[in-house]
Amino acid sequence: MAKDKKVQKLDSIVPDEVTTCETTQQMLSKAKMDGVETAFDRAAAMKPCPIGEKSACCKNCFMGPCRLNAKDPYGKVGVCGATIDTIQSRNFGRMVATGTASHTDHGMEMLKLFRGVVDGTIKDYGIVDNEKLLDIAQELGVPIQERSHNAIAVDVCDELEKTYTQLEGELPFVKRAPAKTQEMWRENGIVPRGAMREIMEMMNRTHMGMDQDYANIIKQISRTALADGWGGSMVATEIGDMLFGTPKPTQGEVNMGVLKEDQVNIIIHGHEPNLFESMLISVSDPALIEAAQAAGASGINLVGMCCSGLEMLSRRGIPHAGNFMSTEAVLVTGAVDAFTVDVQCIKQGLVNVADCYNTPLFTTNDRAHIEGAHHVEFHEDHPRECTDVIVEMAIKRFKEREAPIEIPARKDTGVFGFSHEYINYMLGGTFRGSYTPLNQNIINGKIRGVAGVVGCTNPRVPQDEVHIELVKELIKNDVLVVQTGCAQIALAKAGLSLPEAAHLAGPGLSEVCEAVGMPPVLGLGACVDNTRILTAACNMVKAGGLGDSISDLPVAGAAPEYMSEKAIAIGQYFVASGVYTVFGVTFPITEQTKFHDLLFNGLEEQGMGKWGFTKDPREMARMMIAHIEKKREQLGLDVGKERVLVDMADRRAAEAH
Ligand code: SF4
Ligand code: MSK
């Protein structure tokens, strides 16, 4: 039961209207009884500002703020004379810059950890995937013959650092993209230099009195977004794999039923795997397990949420309690003994909900304190000084549990951890992994194409509903779905992350899934791991028969329930890489403007992908499938023509390029 001081009368929301997640519904009903408010209540009470929703206002200087009319976009201009296209493109650019900064800052922290490991100042972590280290060294042109792994790692670290700090030149992983995609970027003048440089220039170009031509601003928007997808995020994923292991398919449990009433429950929510990895070691420490038992618990139950939860689910099969819109609801169980967060997507409202159920909420990162939370700072050079303390505090809270516990019974299972390397191996076999079988199945039409369905959940749409309906429609039409971020948990709760879900797919896709033993929906990791989808797309081009650039592929992307600026950056890097990308919920740009037309049509004419928008999952599926079919037609795949797949000589030539 909630503390009296927090109890209030709540009757604004109907739980089964705001979420399709049964366990979240159950907890929202309980929260209502307990008088505890969540983001679902606040979303119902807070109507979005119609001008801000469409980015039709500017507060970039103090002659304003200036509000234009989203319904009559060319009816007026700002005090400085800025038009709707200037204002919207600047606002969009700042969203992309912020999203890119989030991923890039995360990536720089991973690089700092990697640097500490290779120079020996950090001893609690090490390189576990040397095969990946060597692959990356080779890709980056770092010599490997007769050198120690550590010497190679030092050079790899130096090369990867350029991703962030380089002032001139091209990002190291740009050369991972197909040659034709690289050419298109060069022709458009959007090859990123270093991510810090691009973010800085984006912010400068959007200052009052700087770049005031939307057609020029979009170039820096794309360059900044590409610095995320092929830079900040891609490096974060690769370092994560080198340090913690490249994921391989692992069965795991999801949903709130993974909490255990008789155990000390510790939840980790955020994005950086180093905290979670250290916590895993702390909860396995016999002394701490003994302390938990002495407090009356049968053990310590470590559970993830959101993206760091997904990293641990993918790499270690650690249970996962739910996605972004379940983070407050899980606290309502009363069963959480420590709620531990690091960075990104952490609602400030969690502090109040945690307080209502006497759950200590721990912030651990100096970049993300929350007023009212307990701060126990995490340092990679002595990580257990943080995680051991949190375990001890969790044990104390278990011992002093007051509120009645109500844990929803439901838990679901799924298979997760399909890295792009594993897809290679899964389809091509151990001897010579290859994307050729995937391409062959696309060429012969059993699989029509591939869709990335990624991103958050958002209280502006019923939680999980758009994800589930969209994905069901896609797989029914023989479109293989790959996922990252919170979207995966929505589908896992709906049972679509198991090989048994193959029967929900169309005849071609289900035949392939049954032959390989894979689900029709492949979870690839956290939101930062969207770069695995980019790399998989590169491998599809390289395997041959599906065109020469990413924009030739019969693929499409969607973020149907997105909520963050990171998602806008991801969307833009997919578009700039050549992928048709459809967003749901709302699109933050006014229709009928030249800038909107550029995003939704003009970029495609420049050789990139394009944006799409709809809230309706069936319409979203229809739009994505129509795009995939258009690409198939352009590739001549529906005229029964035999496509030429690359042989070994072609492959070597492509790799040498
Ligand atoms: Fe208004 Fe122009 Fe200042 Fe923006 S930059 S607030 S449009 S005067
Ligand atoms: S946590 S960015 S809600 S996917 Fe990566 Fe989930 Fe979206 Fe955050």
Side-chain angles (χ1 to χ4, degrees):
M1 190 185 300
K3 285 179 181 174
D4 286 349
K5 68 183 168 103
K6 304 289 180 188
V7 171
Q8 47 183 291
K9 189 163 173 358
L10 293 172
D11 51 14
S12 60
I13 58 158
V14 178
D16 61 6
E17 286 178 3
V18 297
T19 174
T20 58
C21 169
E22 278 174 25
T23 59
T24 305
Q25 285 170 3
Q26 185 182 335
M27 288 303 101
L28 290 183
S29 298
K30 179 170 184 293
K32 217 167 167 178
M33 299 277 294
D34 294 347
V36 174
E37 180 193 273
T38 69
F40 288 103
D41 300 292
R42 293 187 290 273
M46 173 98 60
K47 295 294 166 216
C49 161
I51 297 171
E53 188 187 9
K54 291 292 171 195
S55 299
C57 53
C58 177
K59 55 181 179 61
N60 291 12
C61 89
F62 303 94
M63 295 188 285
C66 300
R67 294 188 304 164
L68 273 55
N69 186 347
K71 294 216 170 96
D72 177 19
Y74 292 101
K76 55 179 174 172
V77 295
V79 173
C80 66
T83 63
I84 187 77
D85 293 303
T86 297
I87 289 172
Q88 290 193 138
S89 55
R90 287 195 307 214
N91 288 340
F92 199 75
R94 287 191 170 200
M95 292 173 213
V96 168
T98 308
T100 300
S102 291
H103 290 137
T104 298
D105 193 47
H106 169 179
M108 285 193 82
E109 284 300 298
M110 296 298 289
L111 184 81
K112 194 177 89 183
L113 174 62
F114 189 51
R115 175 78 69 199
V117 166
V118 299
D119 71 15
T121 54
I122 291 176
K123 303 201 185 307
D124 288 80
Y125 303 91
I127 296 172
V128 306
D129 192 342
N130 282 306
E131 202 179 322
K132 181 133 197 178
L133 170 71
L134 298 181
D135 284 348
I136 290 176
Q138 217 155 15
E139 199 180 347
L140 297 174
V142 170
I144 54 176
Q145 284 81 10
E146 293 167 25
R147 300 181 74 208
S148 71
H149 284 159
N150 202 64
I152 294 167
V154 169
D155 287 353
V156 166
C157 196
D158 288 344
E159 278 302 306
L160 293 180
E161 191 171 303
K162 292 180 185 165
T163 299
Y164 304 102
T165 57
Q166 184 172 267
L167 298 181
E168 291 302 334
E170 298 184 347
L171 286 186
F173 279 135
V174 159
K175 51 172 147 346
R176 184 174 277 190
K180 196 172 155 200
T181 303
Q182 294 181 42
E183 270 165 41
M184 178 271 289
W185 289 338
R186 290 189 192 106
E187 273 164 22
N188 284 299
I190 57 172
V191 184
R193 296 158 291 180
M196 289 162 80
R197 183 86 182 83
E198 302 309 353
I199 294 163
M200 190 186 301
E201 186 169 319
M202 186 77 258
M203 296 308 285
N204 182 25
R205 278 167 73 157
T206 54
H207 188 274
M208 188 272 151
M210 273 294 292
D211 203 349
Q212 290 161 99
D213 180 350
Y214 73 98
N216 199 45
I217 294 172
I218 190 69
K219 290 185 185 167
Q220 187 56 22
I221 293 175
S222 293
R223 190 151 59 155
T224 305
L226 290 172
D228 179 355
W230 299 84
S233 285
M234 194 170 270
V235 169
T237 296
E238 302 296 28
I239 292 178
D241 285 354
M242 286 189 280
L243 293 179
F244 305 118
T246 303
K248 295 184 180 68
T250 313
Q251 184 148 320
E253 290 181 335
V254 302
N255 220 330
M256 290 187 209
V258 300
L259 295 176
K260 294 180 178 155
E261 185 161 0
D262 63 343
Q263 295 205 11
V264 176
N265 292 301
I266 298 176
I267 288 184
I268 309 261
H269 157 35
H271 282 82
E272 294 186 345
N274 42 6
L275 168 75
F276 213 140
E277 291 282 347
S278 176
M279 186 61 88
L280 185 55
I281 294 169
S282 291
V283 300
S284 312
D285 184 323
L288 288 169
I289 294 173
E290 211 173 292
Q293 286 163 345
S298 67
I300 306 173
N301 184 32
L302 180 60
V303 169
M305 292 196 87
C306 279
C307 278
S308 43
L310 281 163
E311 293 220 20
M312 296 304 277
L313 178 62
S314 304
R315 289 203 179 94
R316 316 250 181 260
I318 301 283
H320 195 290
N323 58 26
F324 175 69
M325 281 313 295
S326 298
T327 53
E328 288 170 309
V330 78
L331 288 162
V332 179
T333 61
V336 183
D337 298 301
F339 196 91
T340 309
V341 301
D342 52 28
V343 295
Q344 299 175 11
C345 302
I346 298 148
K347 300 184 200 83
Q348 187 163 1
L350 285 165
V351 172
N352 187 39
V353 184
D355 194 31
C356 290
Y357 296 95
N358 298 313
T359 293
L361 190 144
F362 297 100
T363 51
T364 56
N365 196 292
D366 192 39
R367 295 171 292 160
H369 289 237
I370 306 178
E371 187 183 351
H374 308 263
H375 189 74
V376 183
E377 197 145 312
F378 178 81
H379 297 281
E380 286 98 347
D381 50 355
H382 41 88
R384 290 197 54 191
E385 282 182 21
C386 167
T387 50
D388 282 6
V389 166
I390 292 173
V391 175
E392 283 159 12
M393 300 284 280
I395 293 169
K396 183 167 176 286
R397 192 275 184 181
F398 176 90
K399 210 168 164 181
E400 295 165 0
R401 276 184 188 177
E402 293 168 358
I405 307 290
E406 180 182 332
I407 299 175
R410 181 165 174 168
K411 58 183 170 184
D412 305 279
T413 51
V415 180
F416 308 89
F418 291 90
S419 55
H420 57 82
E421 288 89 342
Y422 193 83
I423 295 174
N424 209 27
Y425 158 76
M426 172 173 75
L427 295 163
T430 35
F431 176 64
R432 175 138 188 100
S434 167
Y435 273 67
T436 302
L438 172 64
N439 284 22
Q440 272 166 339
N441 280 310
I442 292 174
I443 290 164
N444 67 26
K446 283 185 187 154
I447 297 176
R448 305 302 294 173
V450 182
V453 178
V454 307
C456 327
T457 48
N458 184 323
R460 298 288 175 204
V461 294
Q463 183 191 5
D464 300 340
E465 185 176 86
V466 195
H467 284 300
I468 294 168
E469 293 308 313
L470 168 65
V471 170
K472 280 186 174 167
E473 206 58 30
L474 289 169
I475 63 169
K476 199 166 81 187
N477 285 280
D478 290 322
V479 175
L480 175 67
V481 172
V482 292
Q483 296 209 290
T484 62
C486 290
Q488 270 166 100
I489 299 304
L491 272 299
K493 288 184 288 185
L496 271 81
S497 306
L498 284 168
E500 292 77 8
H503 74 277
L504 295 170
L509 177 59
S510 71
E511 188 190 321
V512 175
C513 289
E514 278 159 16
V516 179
M518 70 179 195
V521 177
L522 305 180
L524 269 65
C527 48
V528 78
D529 297 325
N530 275 303
T531 63
R532 296 193 200 278
I533 301 179
L534 291 179
T535 308
C538 297
N539 291 341
M540 286 170 70
V541 174
K542 202 184 262 186
L546 294 177
D548 303 322
S549 71
I550 294 175
S551 63
D552 292 336
L553 293 171
V555 303
E561 301 183 25
Y562 84 104
M563 65 85 201
S564 74
E565 290 171 307
K566 290 186 292 173
I568 296 286
I570 292 166
Q572 183 64 28
Y573 75 61
F574 271 102
V575 168
S577 300
V579 180
Y580 177 45
T581 304
V582 188
F583 270 36
V585 188
T586 183
F587 197 80
I589 298 298
T590 313
E591 285 182 45
Q592 313 115 22
T593 60
K594 288 183 279 182
F595 182 61
H596 188 277
D597 185 54
L598 179 61
L599 295 178
F600 281 65
N601 297 303
L603 292 179
E604 192 178 39
E605 287 158 20
Q606 296 171 23
M608 298 178 216
K610 62 179 179 179
W611 284 89
F613 169 72
T614 178
K615 293 180 187 184
D616 178 353
R618 280 167 210 87
E619 173 64 4
M620 196 176 282
R622 192 199 61 70
M623 289 159 71
M624 294 167 76
I625 292 165
H627 179 81
I628 285 170
E629 292 302 330
K630 183 178 87 179
K631 290 292 167 187
R632 293 183 63 85
E633 206 181 305
Q634 287 170 356
L635 289 163
L637 295 184
D638 289 329
V639 292
K641 209 163 76 184
E642 193 65 24
R643 303 298 300 171
V644 182
L645 289 169
V646 288
D647 60 16
M648 281 304 291
D650 293 333
R651 192 194 300 273
R652 276 191 216 104
E655 279 164 3
H657 187 93

